[in-house]
Amino acid sequence: MNILLHPFQTTYNTAPFSAIKNEDYLPAITTLIEETKTEIDNITSNPEPPTFENTIEALEFSGQQLDRVTNIFFNLNSAETNDAIQKIAQEVSPLLSEFGNDITLNEALFERVKAVYNNKADLNLNPEQIMLLDKSYKSFSRNGANLVEGKKETLRNIDKDLSKLSLTFGEHVLAETNAFEMHITNEADLSGLPDGAKEAAKQLAESKDKDGWLITLDYPSYIPFMTYADNRELRKKLAIAFGKKGFHNNELDNQDIVLNIVKKRFQRANLLGYKTHAHFVLEERMAKTPETVSHFLNELLEKAKPAAQEEFKSLEDFAKALDGIERLEKWDASYYAEKLKQKLFDLDDEKLKPYFKLEHVINGAFNIAKKLYGLHFEEIDTIDKYHEDVLTYKVTNEAGDLVSVFYADFFPRAGKRNGAWMTSYKSQFVKDKTNERPHISIVCNFTKPTKSKPSLLTFNEVTTLFHEFGHALHGMLANTTYPSLSGTSVFWDFVELPSQVMENWCYEKEALELFATHYETGEIIPMELVTKIKDSAAFNEGMQTLRQISFGLLDMNWHGIDPSAISSVKAHESEAFENTKLYPDVAENCMSTSFSHIFQGGYSSGYYSYKWAEVLDADAFEYFKDAGIFNKEVATKFKDNILSQGGTVDPMTLYKRFRGQEPQPEALLRRAGLIK
């Protein structure tokens, strides 16, 4: 019996990972697609006139088991993949893409949806129902329902191709990441590297039956080497390997895939009546148009560029004075920035790490969530996990009611893609008067424990954990009726607000004292270190802002134009970076060929949203600070108006309900030290 075909008979209805075999996925997904098609047929063949309940709600709650199974499958394809899963993904993705088109291009279904939509003024719907109706209608019209038959077939083929292309793109990046190892046998080549990083490199070499030390492109290995290793040639070798992912002219090359993706996205947008892919995407964002995004990024660029150039000149002068470096290269960036930061603030990540034991930081995040939102996290061992490293928790409120199931997966491994993300295995929704609670997961790639030390996080890893935990709270505290409007199902340029605002607590003495204790002595982080963390928060902020703006501009340069004439990925990228460039170009490197956010994740025409949400988060946190960072009244307003509402209300309306005003960009510029 295929366990995936039926609702899970498990504690809290959680995913039965240990009972699932790889060979279960394809037949289960194929069968569940057919079952969902039957549900759709029942809607279209209903002899009753179309109503909100028998059409819109019926459609919203169709295919629930299919959603559960595909969530499990694709989450594992990111966090715990292997050749078998990747092969299944290549088979399953086109099937799901085709099925999605079967729904949005189903004329009988669209006619019923349109009939309800055209009648909405007379239906006495509540705001959430109106939002669902609007979203349902748009999902048809924006996905080809109004096209003539021949063009519908073209759209189907484009969507099928795109689903395969983005999967292949991601597989190539993961394979390239896993394929590179820098094997070091001379300890002198590790000069400058902290003991913990050396021990981790030695442990990795031992695990592969090699002498010496192994450095890889996984972040916990790559970043310490680029930040601390004195050997400039080896930093260069590692940086070039990192920047060459998908740019090798070999079987893992992504150049043609990038060109194919952007051309097919453009073709798709044109087919649907939009000028470019960016015009199509941004219609459903707070920003609304590519012009707004360009104006936003260029306005920030105007403020950040002079500061960035000044910071870069300081870094150049410092590197020249220290080591006689005549020309600062990309592989010098982290190394000299860290040395300059130490000189200016006497702040070294290695001094901070003993205060940030992973378990303490996790508990700190939980404690802050308890103070703000009354949540209680209890580690449990009664539910299945997909890997032994995964931690599992039951989350309850002050009344003891279940709020969420929470999974946390912190360490790198071969089957896990780089970076950090939040996802869900089950959305929150209300059906048959039962509030179904969500199953939320965060996945990171942090420094692993070694034989002599627990997992001690860099400060950057601490803020990453808080960032993903902010997304998780958005998922956990969801309290809406419909799954497609629940949790993080919001406009893409609003989704980063809960995550980015959460990072602010990492810089506050009151919050740090809850969890930043020395892993050996138990001493609370000294006030002088807290002051230094705060003082250094705006260090090189101009350069950091310029870097983020450059990624946003690159994204818009791929998606906000007609890409038909582009023949060289590298040349197009270089042109896009021209106005934000500080370091000399590296001929062997190309960012686009491993820019997974926009070619595999959901950020195409949306990378600007990180900076957009920073404006919201800086403004929101000023409100918290003015009232006190643990002020229950402000926290409750944030929970009730932002975290629980999902996509049920226009995000600017939600923000104004919380804040009482539109966000002020000056808050971000003040925090970044770009204005006084």
Side-chain angles (χ1 to χ4, degrees):
M1 187 189 82
N2 192 326
I3 192 166
L4 296 174
L5 290 173
H6 309 282
F8 306 136
Q9 303 302 311
T10 52
T11 309
Y12 307 122
N13 189 226
T14 50
F17 295 111
S18 63
I20 303 170
K21 298 188 282 293
N22 283 344
E23 54 268 29
D24 292 339
Y25 286 113
L26 186 58
I29 289 170
T30 309
T31 302
L32 290 167
I33 285 174
E34 291 309 315
E35 286 184 8
T36 309
K37 281 181 180 174
T38 303
E39 292 179 56
I40 302 297
D41 289 343
N42 291 339
I43 297 171
T44 56
S45 61
N46 188 338
E48 298 291 321
T51 65
F52 182 81
E53 290 74 18
N54 72 20
T55 301
I56 306 302
E57 273 191 349
L59 178 60
E60 172 71 1
F61 287 113
S62 65
Q64 284 190 292
Q65 190 63 14
L66 178 62
D67 288 344
R68 292 294 314 270
V69 173
T70 52
N71 276 348
I72 292 169
F73 178 74
F74 285 106
N75 281 334
L76 291 186
N77 193 36
S78 291
E80 183 58 13
T81 196
N82 52 46
D83 291 345
I85 286 180
Q86 290 184 359
K87 186 172 180 297
I88 297 161
Q90 288 286 0
E91 293 183 72
V92 158
S93 292
L95 292 179
L96 289 165
S97 173
E98 179 75 4
F99 170 62
N101 286 139
D102 284 342
I103 291 178
T104 53
L105 301 178
N106 181 322
E107 284 182 31
L109 184 59
F110 182 48
E111 285 308 314
R112 288 186 72 92
V113 169
K114 194 154 58 169
V116 181
Y117 182 76
N118 289 340
N119 195 32
K120 78 174 170 185
D122 304 325
L123 296 179
N124 197 23
L125 301 175
N126 66 36
E128 186 176 351
Q129 291 172 322
I130 291 169
M131 184 64 86
L132 181 67
L133 177 55
D134 287 349
K135 197 174 168 181
S136 301
Y137 177 77
K138 278 183 185 170
S139 80
F140 283 88
S141 62
R142 282 170 53 79
N143 285 291
N146 291 315
L147 294 176
V148 297
E149 204 45 58
K151 288 187 175 178
K152 285 182 180 178
E153 197 50 43
T154 306
L155 185 75
R156 283 178 184 274
N157 291 329
I158 292 171
D159 285 346
K160 225 186 287 187
D161 290 345
L162 280 169
S163 73
K164 281 190 143 180
L165 285 166
S166 67
L167 262 182
T168 306
F169 179 94
E171 286 170 11
H172 286 181
V173 174
L174 182 62
E176 292 267 66
T177 304
N178 289 339
F180 178 85
E181 289 178 350
M182 191 161 74
H183 187 200
I184 294 172
T185 51
N186 181 358
E187 191 165 2
D189 288 336
L190 299 172
S191 166
L193 206 61
D195 289 343
K198 278 167 76 170
E199 191 181 353
K202 190 161 194 61
Q203 212 164 285
L204 184 60
E206 284 170 3
S207 74
K208 300 197 173 188
D209 296 323
K210 293 186 178 179
D211 295 332
W213 301 265
L214 276 184
I215 305 296
T216 70
L217 300 181
D218 285 325
Y219 288 158
S221 180
Y222 176 78
I223 288 169
F225 200 90
M226 296 306 297
T227 307
Y228 295 106
D230 296 326
N231 188 319
R232 194 182 187 210
E233 277 307 305
L234 289 182
R235 290 203 312 271
K236 177 181 177 179
K237 181 182 176 182
L238 193 62
I240 288 177
F242 192 89
K244 269 181 93 163
K245 287 181 290 189
F247 192 59
H248 279 282
N249 293 310
N250 61 3
E251 71 283 358
L252 297 175
D253 195 271
N254 273 340
Q255 292 173 82
D256 285 346
I257 290 176
V258 165
L259 293 176
N260 234 323
I261 288 174
V262 294
K263 287 171 184 177
K264 284 187 183 295
R265 283 174 174 169
F266 176 74
Q267 188 189 350
R268 186 183 194 281
N270 281 179
L271 194 63
L272 293 168
Y274 295 86
K275 189 177 171 187
T276 67
H277 179 67
H279 285 85
F280 170 76
V281 169
L282 291 165
E283 185 180 67
E284 290 292 280
R285 301 286 192 263
M286 288 177 83
K288 302 296 183 205
T289 67
E291 292 73 27
T292 306
V293 173
S294 295
H295 178 73
F296 170 72
L297 290 173
N298 285 310
E299 202 174 16
L300 272 183
L301 179 61
E302 201 181 308
K303 302 274 196 315
K305 194 171 178 178
Q309 288 170 327
E310 213 172 288
E311 289 163 5
F312 185 70
K313 177 78 170 64
S314 299
L315 202 57
E316 272 188 317
D317 293 346
F318 175 72
K320 188 169 184 181
L322 192 67
D323 290 330
I325 300 291
E326 289 298 331
R327 189 168 97 146
L328 208 59
E329 301 280 3
K330 285 181 181 174
W331 44 87
D332 299 318
S334 299
Y335 181 77
Y336 287 106
E338 182 62 26
K339 288 226 176 321
L340 181 56
K341 189 166 86 172
Q342 287 180 29
K343 183 187 171 198
L344 293 176
F345 304 102
D346 186 28
L347 185 67
D348 176 1
D349 240 333
E350 289 304 302
K351 285 182 189 165
L352 294 176
K353 278 169 74 171
Y355 294 97
F356 296 124
K357 182 181 172 184
L358 174 61
E359 291 76 5
H360 292 172
V361 180
I362 297 166
N363 288 333
F366 291 168
N367 209 341
I368 288 166
K370 185 178 182 181
K371 281 177 168 289
L372 292 170
Y373 310 119
L375 297 178
H376 177 72
F377 290 77
E378 178 195 341
E379 191 170 356
I380 54 173
D381 59 8
T382 51
I383 64 171
D384 244 342
K385 46 181 81 172
Y386 57 85
H387 189 277
E388 60 186 7
D389 285 352
V390 178
L391 304 172
T392 48
Y393 299 89
K394 176 172 84 168
V395 188
T396 51
N397 60 18
E398 283 160 323
D401 305 319
L402 180 72
V403 170
S404 175
V405 170
F406 179 51
Y407 302 86
D409 179 0
F410 289 121
F411 304 123
R413 50 183 178 266
K416 187 198 259 194
R417 67 177 168 90
N418 249 330
W421 62 95
M422 166 267 177
T423 185
S424 80
Y425 285 95
K426 174 175 176 274
S427 297
Q428 175 273 334
F429 57 90
V430 177
K431 194 170 184 222
D432 301 328
K433 297 187 178 167
T434 300
N435 193 326
E436 294 280 348
R437 298 313 303 165
H439 302 167
I440 303 298
S441 171
I442 62 173
V443 188
C444 306
N445 281 277
F446 293 153
T447 310
K448 284 183 104 155
T450 62
K451 287 169 189 163
S452 67
K453 284 193 178 81
S455 174
L456 301 176
L457 303 188
T458 64
F459 189 68
N460 191 43
E461 288 176 324
V462 174
T463 57
T464 297
L465 192 153
F466 270 69
H467 179 100
E468 299 310 332
F469 188 65
H471 279 309
L473 289 171
H474 199 185
M476 288 182 224
L477 289 166
N479 199 23
T480 63
T481 305
Y482 303 113
S484 71
L485 300 177
S486 178
T488 55
S489 299
V490 298
F491 280 180
W492 208 261
D493 42 11
F494 193 60
V495 80
E496 295 296 334
L497 167 61
S499 54
Q500 289 182 188
V501 81
M502 198 68 201
E503 292 180 39
N504 289 284
W505 274 265
C506 301
Y507 296 89
E508 299 297 322
K509 175 178 180 286
E510 229 182 309
L512 284 166
E513 284 175 345
L514 297 174
F515 66 91
T517 55
H518 197 286
Y519 79 102
E520 288 175 316
T521 65
E523 171 205 15
I524 291 177
I525 192 167
M527 194 54 226
E528 62 173 299
L529 282 181
V530 177
T531 305
K532 286 174 183 177
I533 288 172
K534 290 194 75 137
D535 289 347
S536 67
F539 173 67
N540 279 355
E541 189 59 41
M543 285 168 71
Q544 289 299 334
T545 301
L546 194 68
R547 183 172 177 268
Q548 286 292 96
I549 291 168
S550 75
F551 296 167
L553 291 171
L554 176 63
D555 173 27
M556 295 307 288
N557 265 282
W558 280 120
H559 294 114
I561 61 160
D562 175 353
S564 310
I566 303 169
S567 57
S568 164
V569 173
K570 173 72 175 180
H572 184 73
E573 175 176 299
S574 299
E575 197 180 316
F577 280 153
E578 192 52 45
N579 203 22
T580 55
K581 197 168 84 173
L582 294 172
Y583 291 92
D585 181 54
V586 181
E588 305 96 314
N589 284 8
C590 180
M591 185 195 171
S592 298
T593 55
S594 62
F595 197 175
S596 298
H597 272 79
I598 67 169
F599 293 120
Q600 188 194 8
Y603 279 85
S604 65
S605 306
Y607 200 88
Y608 74 91
S609 59
Y610 282 105
K611 290 316 282 182
W612 184 278
E614 268 191 65
V615 169
L616 301 177
D617 107 64
D619 185 66
F621 194 66
E622 277 198 355
Y623 190 26
F624 270 102
K625 282 201 79 167
D626 290 346
I629 64 165
F630 290 118
N631 182 284
K632 282 293 269 194
E633 192 183 330
V634 177
T636 301
K637 281 180 81 173
F638 194 72
K639 181 174 84 168
D640 291 349
N641 293 299
I642 308 286
L643 296 177
S644 65
Q645 293 296 306
T648 58
V649 180
D650 180 83
M652 189 56 83
T653 304
L654 288 178
Y655 190 83
K656 287 195 285 194
R657 282 180 192 165
F658 157 67
R659 187 69 167 99
Q661 63 183 42
E662 288 202 358
Q664 309 297 311
E666 290 73 24
L668 171 63
L669 298 170
R670 270 195 297 276
R671 187 175 71 187
L674 299 176
I675 60 169
K676 294 289 178 261

